[in-house]
Amino acid sequence: MSTGDGAKPAWAASRGGYMATVAEAAGAAPEPLGRLDQTLLIFAGLMEGGKEDEETVRELGELTRLLNDDVEVTKKGEKSVTTVIDSDCVDTILCYLDMRQPDVVRAHAALCTSAYLKAAGEDGGKKLAEFFHDRVRRGTYDDYIVAFCVAATIFPIVPDLTSELFLSEGFLASLGPLMRRKWKSRKVETACLEMLNAACMNSACREAVQKYCTEWLEEIVDQDPDDAVKSMHTADPDMHLQEGSISMRRHSLQVQNLAAVVLAKLRAVPSTAATTGPEPRIQPATTSIEDLSKRFTRMLLDEEETEHVQPSIEGLAYASLQPKVKESLSKDSRTLKRLVKALDEAPPRSPMIYGALSIFANLTRYRPIETDEEKRIRQLKAYANAGGKVQVDPLNEDEHVTERCKRVFEAGLTPVLIKHSRSHSAASLALIISIIHALSTPPPLRGQLAQQGAVRLLIAAWAVSTETENQTKRAAAQALARILISTNPALVFGGTSPIPQGAAIRPLASILTPDPTADRRDLLPTFEALMALTNLASTDDDTRKSIIRTAWDDIEEQLFNPNSRVCTAAVELVCNLVQDPEQTLALFGDGSPKAINRVKVIVALADAEDAKTRSAAGGALASLTGFDEVVKAVVGLERGVGVVLGLCKDEREDLRHRGAVVVRNMVFAEGEVGKLARGKLVEGGAVEALMECAKGSKRREVVEVVVQAAEGLMGDGGK
């Protein structure tokens, strides 16, 4: 394919002779060209017409390389290549951003423009501004197209500079008459709307578009296709109408759709502009965000080719920020499946991927968990902003979000997320993880997420996310924790292509500690990580060893957590970890001051007010007291025996069972430790406690343990 028809473009003529001289000299010179001559030679080629796209792309790439190297080279004292790039050269680069150029050429021209602006600094900005103002001042359709295309492309590259051009006096006001001309130019209108679309990324520009462009944008979106025909008949009833003449008098469907996308961005993001005076009694009719959403949905469903659905997806990405749109979109299974299909077929790292992921992220996003104080402050702010009325949309409440998550999951999204996670950008991966994080909130979905490969995705995402991507890293770990709480580890980590079970430990351990970037501590990730590790610790000794080696210090710290649920979860994890005799001896049974203090903590927790904490600590003691050093430590505590016997007399049978096992272990300890333990137990009223335990217990296994413990005490003669 060619970038031209063989004729030299008008914008190339002014430097043609000089460039040709450089090219001829370069061809005759035996020594390598210097960087400045290379630059001039490249521009000589770029200013010629009739080239193949591949050659143009190659030349733009070479120029980009020279410009990227320029910053480092000039530090060594060499002259900058930008010194030979004058306004005509800048004109040459920028004209390759024209929408009428092939996409591959425009993409390389954008990279080249970015490199030039970085290398040229303030002078590059001046030349860019001169180009833009000159093209707009000329006012031909061709000039408008190029100026608008350049502005749309460079907005993300140099937003401050482009915003200044965009907000220059009279520019936005001039767009209304241009877009309302009787005879339409589809390319001018498309270029203009793409520029407005890009400008909406900047708050000041968005406010200006809201002020100067909303009226004619709505006119475009609401256009009646028959109006053009009617007006032409009115002007000349005998006119023979041709389809071409009619199409030139009305906005194309593509233009209407682009205008709808811009309006969606204006509607989705509330205006911050101050309003003064009373509101008019009669409000002008406006296109609501719900109406725009329906339009985007129709666009999406009517277009069979995925490559053409980008505008509808971009519009829905903004429209779906609104609660009503979220709810209606989630209930439309046909549209959800079409979105999943579009995401599945989208090329890697394309804007369509980010747009579609944004829609699903909006549909599944839960409101942040708030403390009572934060909730009160939010309600007060809402009350004040609403003029005395609290405005909390019930569609944002958790029960509605949960239902939306279920519908999104049923649309078959998870396998597509896993597919795109393999060739991700950091921004797309963050959205993928946020969606999986939300889908993992409803417990019924967790097992299915595991079956569809979410565990492997989350472990890999945690591993590749850097410390600067803290939120993505923590969200991946928390979603992993939720899935592992509700599923059997043997099923998750087994199968024909197993994931090493140990691979989940480091991610889980990373959220035991608070988020250092958060304003307040959220205990939910800590709690869920402890629960997941407890599940893993129930499997085998190798896993228990790995957990202790990786996370013991953080686990031990949670034993002192003032939140009873977190503390209980930590004790339950310890209870599972001490099933490994080797680790039990190392942590609790070596007779060291640290080990004795750990036993003291577990005994204290066995006397906690919270029944679940007592139960977990009692279970840990039931395992720990199988070792003589632990029995010795319990007996040595002032209230050690009393706490154990208190478990035997608890009103809950599972706690009485744990207490009886602990007593039996202590009674049958060997040597001097056993003798000391039996004596302390008798002195503390163990016989009476065991009798009370037996009378209140109905389960056979509890009574059997009590009888064994009592026989052991009696066999020692009550000493």
Side-chain angles (χ1 to χ4, degrees):
M1 184 177 177
S2 171
T3 57
D5 58 4
K8 182 180 292 187
W11 41 269
S14 61
R15 294 182 60 89
Y18 178 60
M19 292 297 186
T21 303
V22 174
E24 290 168 7
E31 63 275 351
L33 289 174
R35 296 176 63 254
L36 272 61
D37 286 340
Q38 289 181 51
T39 303
L40 290 172
L41 182 60
I42 290 170
F43 274 108
L46 289 173
M47 287 182 176
E48 294 180 10
K51 289 193 173 185
E52 294 297 320
D53 294 344
E54 292 78 6
E55 189 175 355
T56 303
V57 165
R58 180 183 58 77
E59 290 175 339
L60 286 169
E62 282 296 309
L63 182 56
T64 302
R65 180 186 61 78
L66 286 168
L67 290 166
N68 283 332
D69 293 343
D70 198 64
V71 176
E72 292 300 322
V73 171
T74 52
K75 289 179 181 179
K76 300 175 182 178
E78 292 189 30
K79 199 172 182 180
S80 171
V81 298
T82 61
T83 58
V84 298
I85 299 178
D86 62 10
S87 297
D88 290 327
C89 294
V90 172
D91 191 291
T92 300
I93 301 173
L94 295 178
C95 283
Y96 278 112
L97 297 173
D98 191 324
M99 63 188 298
R100 293 165 290 189
Q101 292 284 351
D103 288 344
V104 65
V105 172
R106 294 184 71 194
H108 281 78
L111 294 173
C112 190
T113 302
S114 176
Y116 167 72
L117 291 172
K118 182 179 178 182
E122 186 177 344
D123 183 62
K126 287 180 181 178
K127 285 185 171 62
L128 176 63
E130 289 171 3
F131 171 88
F132 181 80
H133 290 307
D134 180 60
R135 292 286 175 159
V136 172
R137 192 163 43 246
R138 293 183 195 176
T140 69
Y141 276 168
D142 277 348
D143 289 315
Y144 276 133
I145 290 170
V146 175
F148 295 160
C149 288
V150 168
T153 303
I154 66 173
F155 243 112
I157 300 171
V158 281
D160 292 340
L161 173 60
T162 318
S163 299
E164 188 177 335
L165 300 177
F166 189 79
L167 297 173
S168 56
E169 186 176 356
F171 173 65
L172 279 177
S174 70
L175 297 181
L178 174 65
M179 299 296 282
R180 284 168 167 152
R181 287 183 178 179
K182 181 182 294 185
W183 298 103
K184 315 296 182 186
S185 166
R186 181 177 301 183
K187 286 185 170 58
V188 171
E189 292 185 326
T190 300
C192 178
L193 290 168
E194 287 182 347
M195 175 185 64
L196 294 184
N197 194 24
C200 284
M201 67 184 285
N202 177 279
S203 59
C205 293
R206 189 169 57 248
E207 296 287 354
V209 173
Q210 179 88 43
K211 179 179 179 180
Y212 291 103
C213 306
T214 300
E215 186 177 341
W216 59 260
L217 284 168
E218 290 189 343
E219 289 174 6
I220 293 175
V221 172
D222 296 335
Q223 168 193 260
D224 184 346
D226 296 328
D227 281 350
V229 180
K230 292 175 184 176
S231 63
M232 292 174 73
H233 267 299
T234 302
D236 185 358
D238 298 325
M239 178 184 290
H240 180 66
L241 298 178
Q242 299 290 333
E243 180 58 34
S245 62
I246 296 174
S247 65
M248 292 180 67
R249 293 285 294 270
R250 64 189 181 198
H251 303 289
S252 69
L253 182 60
Q254 178 189 8
V255 167
Q256 286 185 285
N257 293 341
L258 268 175
V261 172
V262 177
L263 272 182
K265 292 186 176 183
L266 300 179
R267 298 279 187 269
V269 183
S271 173
T272 58
T275 56
T276 57
E279 293 185 358
R281 296 176 66 88
I282 300 177
Q283 295 286 344
T286 60
T287 307
S288 70
I289 194 71
E290 290 83 5
D291 293 334
L292 292 170
S293 172
K294 292 174 183 176
R295 181 186 188 92
F296 298 138
T297 299
R298 289 195 301 271
M299 290 163 54
L300 181 68
L301 294 176
D302 291 345
E303 184 56 68
E304 294 183 3
E305 298 295 328
T306 295
E307 61 189 67
H308 297 142
V309 301
Q310 173 62 27
S312 58
I313 287 178
E314 186 177 2
L316 283 174
Y318 280 86
S320 59
L321 291 168
Q322 302 301 313
K324 287 183 181 178
V325 176
K326 293 182 193 180
E327 195 70 9
S328 62
L329 188 58
S330 73
K331 291 179 179 178
D332 186 348
S333 61
R334 185 181 171 208
T335 300
L336 285 181
K337 289 178 180 177
R338 181 67 183 92
L339 282 168
V340 171
K341 181 175 183 288
L343 179 60
D344 187 32
E345 295 175 352
R349 294 177 176 265
S350 64
M352 193 183 301
I353 291 177
Y354 190 83
L357 290 174
S358 296
I359 296 170
F360 289 119
N362 292 340
L363 295 182
T364 58
R365 183 176 292 114
Y366 284 85
R367 282 172 47 182
I369 297 174
E370 297 175 315
T371 63
D372 292 340
E373 179 67 13
E374 288 170 333
K375 192 177 295 183
R376 186 180 68 82
I377 291 173
R378 175 177 58 78
Q379 290 172 343
L380 286 174
K381 286 182 179 178
Y383 184 83
N385 293 336
K389 297 179 181 179
V390 177
Q391 295 180 331
V392 178
D393 198 312
L395 295 177
N396 280 332
E397 298 297 338
D398 286 359
E399 57 267 26
H400 286 280
V401 183
T402 296
E403 291 304 312
R404 291 199 290 268
C405 285
K406 291 177 180 178
R407 297 178 198 127
V408 166
F409 179 83
E410 288 166 2
L413 179 62
T414 308
V416 181
L417 295 180
I418 291 169
K419 168 188 169 181
H420 280 296
S421 71
R422 301 186 187 112
S423 56
H424 61 270
S425 64
S428 293
L429 183 62
L431 286 175
I432 290 172
I433 295 304
S434 73
I435 296 167
I436 297 289
H437 181 268
L439 295 180
S440 69
T441 302
L445 299 184
R446 294 173 183 173
Q448 298 175 74
L449 284 170
Q451 290 174 357
Q452 295 181 9
V455 169
R456 185 185 296 275
L457 160 61
L458 293 168
I459 291 174
W462 183 89
V464 301
S465 297
T466 64
E467 293 303 321
T468 58
E469 297 159 345
N470 179 60
Q471 294 306 311
T472 300
K473 208 171 183 73
R474 291 186 67 87
Q478 188 177 9
L480 177 64
R482 289 172 175 172
I483 293 173
L484 294 181
I485 287 171
S486 303
T487 53
N488 184 343
L491 299 178
V492 175
F493 297 104
T496 56
S497 179
I499 311 165
Q501 188 163 273
I505 294 173
R506 287 183 62 235
L508 297 175
S510 71
I511 55 172
L512 289 174
T513 53
D515 181 357
T517 64
D519 295 331
R520 64 175 178 85
R521 181 168 188 179
D522 181 7
L523 290 175
L524 184 59
T526 302
F527 174 74
E528 290 174 332
L530 289 168
M531 295 280 286
L533 287 168
T534 300
N535 209 6
L536 292 179
S538 67
T539 56
D540 56 62
D541 285 346
D542 287 340
T543 300
R544 287 188 275 268
K545 286 183 175 69
S546 183
I547 292 172
I548 290 171
R549 185 170 56 252
T550 304
W552 173 254
D553 289 344
D554 292 328
I555 295 168
E556 190 172 20
E557 182 183 339
Q558 301 313 317
L559 295 173
F560 302 95
N561 198 299
N563 183 286
S564 61
R565 295 186 68 188
V566 174
C567 178
T568 300
V571 181
E572 289 174 344
L573 174 54
V574 170
C575 183
N576 278 4
L577 291 175
V578 297
Q579 303 306 310
D580 177 7
E582 182 181 337
Q583 298 302 316
T584 303
L585 281 171
L587 293 171
F588 293 89
D590 64 359
S592 66
K594 277 189 174 181
I596 293 171
N597 191 58
R598 289 179 182 131
V599 174
K600 183 178 180 180
V601 170
I602 299 297
V603 170
L605 291 170
D607 194 35
E609 291 185 10
D610 183 75
K612 290 184 177 179
T613 303
R614 293 201 307 276
S615 178
L621 283 175
S623 297
L624 290 170
T625 49
F627 299 88
D628 290 352
E629 283 293 338
V630 176
V631 173
K632 182 179 178 180
V634 172
V635 172
L637 296 173
E638 183 178 350
R639 296 190 59 250
V641 170
V643 170
V644 171
L645 296 180
L647 291 173
C648 295
K649 294 183 282 187
D650 198 279
E651 61 183 16
R652 295 177 55 176
E653 189 158 17
D654 61 326
L655 279 169
R656 293 198 298 272
H657 188 194
R658 286 166 169 78
V661 171
V662 175
V663 171
R664 182 187 64 182
N665 290 345
M666 295 174 69
V667 166
F668 288 102
E670 297 181 353
E672 290 297 320
V673 173
K675 186 175 182 181
L676 178 63
R678 289 189 290 273
K680 289 283 188 179
L681 285 167
V682 172
E683 288 177 15
V687 176
E688 294 80 2
L690 289 171
M691 290 179 63
E692 184 178 337
C693 179
K695 288 178 181 178
S697 299
K698 298 179 180 179
R699 287 160 48 191
R700 179 178 177 181
E701 62 269 23
V702 179
V703 176
E704 287 178 351
V705 173
V706 170
V707 170
Q708 292 169 7
E711 288 177 348
L713 279 176
M714 298 301 183
D716 198 49
K719 297 178 184 178

